[in-house]
């Protein structure tokens, strides 16, 4: 059974950077799309970015040009580099995996991690 663990969240000032990590144990990421989603209180989880098993990447319009998703199959880890952070990026960030090569809908993903909090101060 796969277990995903997010890390790297924290408090940062607007304009700063963070790198989130999503590490998998129990199964390989190699043949899965891995996605990042974010959620704020009272709202549904929203798509942020995903990387397919062919390394094709997908981004929400709100993060294009600021966030970069990448994967290290040898470490079974997917990263989300977040630059030029804005207060509206404040949320809990979750990673999950999908057996589809192209996926960005929450319903296509499973094996959700516990989330990591990102707080951006103005």
């Amino acid at each position: 059974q796969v277990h995903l663990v997010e890390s790297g969240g924290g408090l940062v000032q607007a304009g700063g950077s963070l790198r989130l990590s999503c590490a998998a144990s129990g199964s390989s990421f190699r043949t899965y799309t891995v996605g990042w989603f974010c959620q704020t209180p009272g709202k549904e989880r929203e798509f942020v970015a995903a990387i397919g098993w062919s390394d094709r990447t997908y981004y929400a319009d709100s993060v294009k040009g600021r966030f970069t998703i990448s994967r290290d199959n040898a470490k079974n880890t997917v990263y989300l580099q977040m630059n030029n952070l804005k207060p509206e990026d404040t949320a809990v960030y979750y990673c999950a995996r999908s057996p589809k090569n192209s996926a960005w809908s929450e319903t296509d993903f499973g094996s959700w991690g516990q989330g990591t909090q990102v707080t951006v101060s103005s």
Side-chain angles (χ1 to χ4, degrees), residues 6 35-39 45 92-96 112-116:
E6 302 96 336
W36 286 96
F37 291 75
C38 67
Q39 188 172 27
R45 218 148 29 186
V92 177
Y93 284 73
Y94 299 89
C95 67
W112 294 88
Q114 84 290 345
T116 185

Side-chain angles (χ1 to χ4, degrees), residues 6 29 32 36 38-39 42 52 62 70 74-75 80 91 95 101 106:
E6 302 96 336
F29 272 152
Y32 288 86
W36 286 96
C38 67
Q39 188 172 27
S62 60
S70 61
K75 295 182 177 180
L80 184 67
C95 67
N101 186 27
E106 183 182 359

Side-chain angles (χ1 to χ4, degrees), residues 27-42:
S27 179
S28 171
F29 272 152
R30 191 176 302 273
T31 57
Y32 288 86
T33 290
V34 178
W36 286 96
F37 291 75
C38 67
Q39 188 172 27
T40 54

Side-chain angles (χ1 to χ4, degrees), residues 40-54:
T40 54
K43 293 188 176 181
E44 295 185 354
R45 218 148 29 186
E46 297 180 350
F47 172 74
V48 176
I51 183 165
W53 50 260
S54 60

Side-chain angles (χ1 to χ4, degrees), residues 39-121:
Q39 188 172 27
T40 54
K43 293 188 176 181
E44 295 185 354
R45 218 148 29 186
E46 297 180 350
F47 172 74
V48 176
I51 183 165
W53 50 260
S54 60
D55 287 346
R56 183 171 180 178
T57 57
Y58 308 87
Y59 296 95
D61 288 342
S62 60
V63 306
K64 283 181 181 177
R66 299 189 298 122
F67 292 9
T68 303
I69 190 170
S70 61
R71 67 195 306 157
D72 185 336
N73 288 331
K75 295 182 177 180
N76 224 18
T77 300
V78 170
Y79 304 99
L80 184 67
Q81 179 66 44
M82 311 166 71
N83 296 329
N84 191 21
L85 281 160
K86 303 176 181 181
E88 52 263 42
D89 296 319
T90 296
V92 177
Y93 284 73
Y94 299 89
C95 67
R97 68 172 191 173
S98 170
K100 295 184 176 182
N101 186 27
S102 299
W104 48 84
S105 172
E106 183 182 359
T107 57
D108 290 332
F109 287 83
S111 302
W112 294 88
Q114 84 290 345
T116 185
Q117 175 72 47
V118 170
T119 303
V120 184
S121 63

